[in-house]
Amino acid sequence: MGEAQALSPGDLGFVALFLVGLAGVTIGVNRKVGAADSEHYFLGGRDIPWWAIGLSLFASNIGTDHLVGLAGSGAASGLVVGLIELNSCYFLLVLGWVFVPHYVSMNIFTVPEFLEKRFDSSFRTSYAIFVIVATIATKISVTIFAGATVLEQVVGWNMLPSSMILLALTGIYTAVGGLAVVMYTEVLQSIVLLFGSAWSCTQ
């Protein structure tokens, strides 16, 4: 890759527009849905439309680790590295049509809740701790590192402050509005991901 370049006025304008949109979505959804109780904070008030759920799932699964890491592996090794992502579509459909109705009927919304009903509360706690540690070590860290790597290579920003900024932005809108804000901001991010990826393919 060539030397890092300074952001053009158009680039800065787009970044500013995205941040304004992010703030607008956070404030607007927080006012509409709110986070007054656990149902609104953790379950989005149980009133999220299907298209927001779909785009949120897309943005949750496709991140900088895919755009940077998986895309690079695919370019080097071929389509086979993406088969796990393609095959996961079938398992998600089975999960949605077969298992989710069963979980909802039992008033279960997380895997730890299911494990508590199936075994006991200590198993739930142990599993929750394991998942948190594993997610930080294998998912969040990789995603933040990939995003910071792009900023370092493209615009020359130092990796550590870039990582802190990415974490701070995500933490703020998540803490402010809960699940509903997360899902609607991911709708915005999905649009940026799709159009940005399509534009990159033409360059």
Side-chain angles (χ1 to χ4, degrees):
M1 181 176 291
E3 294 183 359
Q5 301 177 2
L7 293 176
S8 68
D11 295 329
L12 292 173
F14 183 82
V15 171
L17 181 64
F18 175 77
L19 293 176
V20 170
L22 196 66
V25 170
T26 301
I27 295 171
V29 173
N30 193 42
R31 287 180 175 177
K32 181 180 178 179
V33 179
D37 51 46
S38 59
E39 180 175 327
H40 285 80
Y41 190 83
F42 291 107
L43 302 177
R46 304 173 188 257
D47 193 28
I48 308 277
W50 64 267
W51 53 267
I53 294 173
L55 288 173
S56 177
L57 286 172
F58 172 79
S60 297
N61 189 50
I62 305 297
T64 50
D65 50 335
H66 288 79
L67 291 178
V68 177
L70 196 60
S73 297
S77 305
L79 188 61
V80 66
V81 297
L83 287 180
I84 186 173
E85 301 295 336
L86 295 173
N87 291 331
S88 65
C89 297
Y90 306 112
F91 295 103
L92 286 174
L93 290 174
V94 172
L95 174 65
W97 288 103
V98 178
F99 291 97
V100 168
H102 176 67
Y103 296 149
V104 172
S105 67
M106 296 176 62
N107 202 35
I108 293 173
F109 302 101
T110 66
V111 175
E113 282 182 314
F114 172 76
L115 293 176
E116 182 179 29
K117 290 181 179 292
R118 179 65 178 82
F119 299 103
D120 54 36
S121 59
S122 62
F123 197 100
R124 168 183 175 165
T125 302
S126 300
Y127 179 80
I129 293 173
F130 169 77
V131 169
I132 290 172
V133 173
T135 301
I136 292 173
T138 64
K139 179 63 178 177
I140 296 176
S141 59
V142 173
T143 301
I144 294 298
F145 176 77
T149 298
V150 171
L151 292 175
E152 181 183 49
Q153 294 295 324
V154 175
V155 296
W157 293 0
N158 186 275
M159 187 172 291
L160 180 59
S162 298
S163 300
M164 299 300 293
I165 291 171
L166 292 173
L167 284 170
L169 287 174
T170 306
I172 288 171
Y173 71 71
T174 301
V176 167
L179 180 66
V181 167
V182 170
M183 295 188 75
Y184 281 105
T185 52
E186 286 180 336
V187 170
L188 176 62
Q189 293 167 21
S190 294
I191 296 172
V192 173
L193 280 170
L194 290 170
F195 281 95
S197 298
W199 178 83
S200 298
C201 290
T202 64
Q203 303 304 304

